[in-house]
Amino acid sequence: MEVSDIVSRKEVAELAGVSEATVSRVLNATGPIKEDTRKRVLDVANQLGYVPSALARNFARSKSGHLGVVMPYVPKAHLFSAYFFSEMLSGIGNKARDSGLDLLLLFRKPGERIDYSSLFRQQRVDSCIILGAKDDHDEVEALRKLQEEGRPFCVMNHHFEGQSFCEVDADHVEGSRVAVSHLIEQGCKRIAFLNGPDIYSNSTERLKGYLIALQEADIEYDHELVLEGNYSRRSGLEASATILDKLDNIDAVFAANDRMALGVMQGLRERGLAVEQFPAFVGYDDSDAAEMAVPPLSSVRVPFYEMGELAASKLIPGSQDLIPALELTGSDPIRELLSTALIVRASSIRQ
């Protein structure tokens, strides 16, 4: 850091009546700062014409240089160990790095009604990606407010029916349909479906794909074969008891993510069922753990990394042309869907 920067920061601190550390936090948009303090520091910095060299262009344009990523609140879960979150963040981070932006991760608190607009008003972020959204009145209203204000944002891995938000997702209806059709082709007719909560659009879309596959094969829908978990391995463990009780009436299990599928498989083993007696299994996400399962788990591969890159590109001016060609199942500029692919392994083979 140049001496002139240090001197100028000291002058800003003295005139604003705050510490140099506070000046640094304000100019770097880090840490909790009272709004009146932030405004006073910025006014003094403008008055003195002081801008740290590394932030000069962003500050002059009232930009933070941050691409915000709002993470969901998931109780007792290690978010970064979740395959899909780590992959999406990697894709977002790669595109942000190439564009000279920093990621600012923002974590929801339990029961918090998040004010997305304040992130922009406080100049903490220039644009925002929302992960883990769910159908909730407050969530929709907060996003509508962003849209009305003309703030750049993108929702990932969720669809708000009837809204016109910028969304990037995968084609979960088709992914689910292909998975269940594969099980039917293996001779399975009584296919249990362990889904996630219906507050997530992914859950309703996977259920739709499941129903389409049954209808196409002229198999009658049985609501008793549809179970609900919460996308955790533990919920799969809990569901394994119900599946074991119904095993005489079940010849396959389709789970809405790999964690639940692996939880069911673990639960069946713990309850004394040999692997050779397992029903056919298909999971979803094609996480690293799927290939290492016993037996190796067939799963629907979702291009989470590419989704992250695509979402970030929508928020970085001029970067859209830098994205490699992606296989899209929808060309709507508001909502873009990427294709999934079924990866067949031993768990689902029956012929």
Side-chain angles (χ1 to χ4, degrees):
M1 183 175 292
E2 298 177 0
V3 173
S4 60
D5 281 347
I6 297 174
V7 173
S8 297
R9 183 183 299 144
K10 183 177 181 180
E11 291 174 354
V12 172
E14 289 177 349
L15 191 57
V18 298
S19 68
E20 291 183 48
T22 297
V23 172
S24 180
R25 287 200 301 273
V26 170
L27 296 179
N28 286 281
T30 59
I33 298 289
K34 292 182 178 179
E35 180 59 25
D36 60 341
T37 301
R38 188 187 73 84
K39 187 177 185 303
R40 188 165 69 253
V41 169
L42 293 176
D43 287 344
V44 171
N46 279 326
Q47 177 185 334
L48 295 178
Y50 164 68
V51 180
S53 57
L55 297 173
R57 289 189 300 274
N58 286 335
F59 187 69
R61 295 194 305 263
S62 298
K63 297 290 185 180
S64 69
H66 292 153
L67 170 58
V69 180
V70 179
M71 305 293 291
Y73 171 72
V74 181
K76 298 182 180 179
H78 301 286
L79 276 179
F80 297 106
S81 67
Y83 175 79
F84 66 103
F85 277 127
S86 62
E87 285 290 296
M88 284 190 287
L89 283 175
S90 294
I92 295 169
N94 180 63
K95 184 58 63 177
R97 182 193 63 234
D98 290 348
S99 304
L101 295 177
D102 293 322
L103 289 189
L104 181 63
L105 300 186
L106 305 154
F107 294 88
R108 298 174 191 260
K109 298 176 183 177
E112 176 188 37
R113 179 178 178 178
I114 193 162
D115 181 3
Y116 296 120
S117 293
S118 68
L119 302 176
F120 290 86
R121 289 196 304 270
Q122 297 168 10
Q123 296 183 13
R124 295 179 66 188
V125 301
D126 302 327
S127 54
C128 188
I129 293 175
I130 293 96
L131 300 182
K134 57 185 178 182
D135 284 322
D136 175 270
H137 174 75
D138 290 342
E139 180 90 8
V140 172
E141 290 304 308
L143 293 175
R144 279 179 178 167
K145 186 177 180 182
L146 276 185
Q147 192 174 53
E148 290 167 0
E149 294 175 353
R151 307 292 193 181
F153 72 95
C154 183
V155 177
M156 273 191 71
N157 212 38
H158 187 86
H159 175 53
F160 287 96
E161 190 69 35
Q163 304 299 324
S164 58
F165 304 144
C166 172
E167 297 173 354
V168 169
D169 206 345
D171 192 344
H172 299 298
V173 174
E174 179 64 7
S176 179
R177 187 198 69 79
V178 169
V180 177
S181 295
H182 164 69
L183 289 169
I184 294 171
E185 289 167 1
Q186 295 298 308
C188 302
K189 296 183 182 298
R190 302 291 295 172
I191 303 170
F193 178 34
L194 178 56
N195 200 9
D198 61 10
I199 55 172
Y200 300 110
S201 65
N202 288 180
S203 300
T204 57
E205 289 168 356
R206 286 172 171 87
L207 177 60
K208 183 177 180 180
Y210 171 82
L211 295 174
I212 290 173
L214 294 182
Q215 184 179 28
E216 288 177 344
D218 200 25
I219 296 175
E220 185 177 355
Y221 168 65
D222 183 349
H223 69 89
E224 292 187 358
L225 295 182
V226 177
L227 310 175
E228 183 177 311
N230 63 5
Y231 290 113
S232 69
R233 183 182 59 85
R234 179 165 296 279
S235 68
L237 274 169
E238 293 169 354
S240 67
T242 301
I243 289 172
L244 186 61
D245 288 342
K246 297 175 177 288
L247 204 54
D248 290 342
N249 196 34
I250 291 175
D251 49 23
V253 175
F254 172 48
N257 74 343
D258 289 347
R259 282 190 165 193
M260 291 195 295
L262 295 172
V264 174
M265 294 167 74
Q266 178 184 347
L268 293 180
R269 281 195 300 271
E270 290 178 353
R271 288 173 168 82
L273 194 69
V275 170
E276 295 76 19
Q277 298 172 295
F278 276 13
F281 272 92
V282 174
Y284 208 101
D285 292 347
D286 193 35
S287 61
D288 293 339
E291 194 170 0
M292 296 182 288
V294 180
L297 179 65
S298 296
S299 187
V300 177
R301 178 171 294 169
V302 181
F304 293 118
Y305 183 90
E306 291 80 3
M307 287 166 59
E309 283 198 311
L310 181 59
S313 77
K314 288 180 169 292
L315 303 177
I316 300 170
S319 69
Q320 286 86 343
D321 295 336
L322 302 179
I323 283 206
L326 296 173
E327 186 179 356
L328 301 174
T329 60
S331 58
D332 187 334
I334 299 298
R335 187 186 190 213
E336 294 202 57
L337 299 180
L338 275 65
S339 296
T340 59
L342 176 64
I343 308 302
V344 177
R345 301 188 178 96
S347 70
S348 65
I349 301 299
R350 287 297 178 270
Q351 295 180 353

